[in-house]
Amino acid sequence: MSLLFKGRGNQVNSQDKSLFLKLYFFVITIFRHGVHSLGEMWRTPMASIMTILVLGLSLTLPTTLYVVVKNVQKVSSGFQEAAEISLFVKEEITEQETQTLVKRLALYPEVDSVSFISRSEALTEFKQISGFGQALDYLEENPLPSVVLVTPTKRHRGAESAQVLLEKLQGEREVEFGKLDIEWLERLNALLGLLKESVFTVGLLLLSAVVLIIGNTIRLSIMDKKEEIQVLKLVGATNTFIHTPFLWTGIWYGVVGGLVAFICVVLMLWWLESAVSLVVGVYQSNFVLEGLNLSELFSLLLLAISLGFIGSYLSVQKYIREIEPEKV
């Protein structure tokens, strides 16, 4: 009995070793095909370079549009909150009554701070900013109203909550009307949404073109090796063995094409850096163009590899299946 069970144990061990060896040789064969397909690309450098450049430039445009949207969002993120609300006081309200209004508004839970600009202070500031100081001296009376500037708390600085606060503040009897300048922000968000949709549409079209380009390139490669594929099928080669080199070719096209797209975007940002610095200097800002970070680079490469694999897989499934050894 012990000899019987011992034999079964040896059989199980041999099966485990056999399964491990099969998996090992399967992985080695796949990587060997990958190296072989890279060598095939190296043997036809001009055709490979042309295909890679077409893929890289096709990926560059949607990637560039993505970077543009990313930087526009970076700029607009600083304006997503209402900085302050301007309340224009009625002309008949005295300055003492306005001071009372200021104290009352400061007690609002939605208000962070309140400041008061009198009519005389407003006129003095307008003279300095407008450049019409001497002309304004001929005015018989001050046409500017008193203004109360209200800064909402951080919780109420969103566009919707700030609008609700504005309507509440306009209910005060001393207030003529209030102003919350968020219309331009809504227009900016609408344009940003349109830009995002454009990026998605253009990107979808160009990525589809990438799949078609890779598929056509793999098709030409399959037709060029038609007789070799027929011989392989004749001697009993499996579909996996035949398909793998072509799939690897599509993957390599995706990898190198993604790197080309990344390099093109980096060069484009470097070229635009001086122009952006000039514009930023005019507006006295410290904005810096932001390119692709490491995770976005990996996402770009993963997308390019996926497109290369899909394009090559579609060609392999369609054209290798039509090649039969009987037609040798």
Side-chain angles (χ1 to χ4, degrees), residues 162-175:
Q163 185 65 40
V164 172
L165 178 59
L166 172 62
E167 295 175 358
K168 182 178 179 180
L169 296 176
Q170 288 183 137
E172 297 288 341
R173 64 177 184 84
E174 298 91 347
V175 177

Side-chain angles (χ1 to χ4, degrees), residues 84-89 93 96-117 146-153 164-178:
E84 59 185 13
I85 299 173
S86 301
L87 301 177
F88 297 91
V89 182
I93 300 298
Q96 184 177 0
E97 291 175 323
T98 306
Q99 293 290 351
T100 304
L101 172 66
V102 170
K103 294 179 181 178
R104 190 165 65 249
L105 295 179
L107 299 177
Y108 276 48
E110 303 95 338
V111 175
D112 184 39
S113 63
V114 183
S115 59
F116 170 61
I117 301 177
S146 299
V147 180
V148 177
L149 300 178
V150 177
T151 302
T153 59
V164 172
L165 178 59
L166 172 62
E167 295 175 358
K168 182 178 179 180
L169 296 176
Q170 288 183 137
E172 297 288 341
R173 64 177 184 84
E174 298 91 347
V175 177
E176 183 73 29
F177 66 94

Side-chain angles (χ1 to χ4, degrees), residues 24 108 132-133 139 173 247 265 277 283-284 295 304 308 319:
Y24 172 77
Y108 276 48
F132 297 105
L139 294 175
R173 64 177 184 84
L247 295 177
V265 171
S277 300
Y283 287 93
Q284 297 180 353
S295 62
Y319 296 105

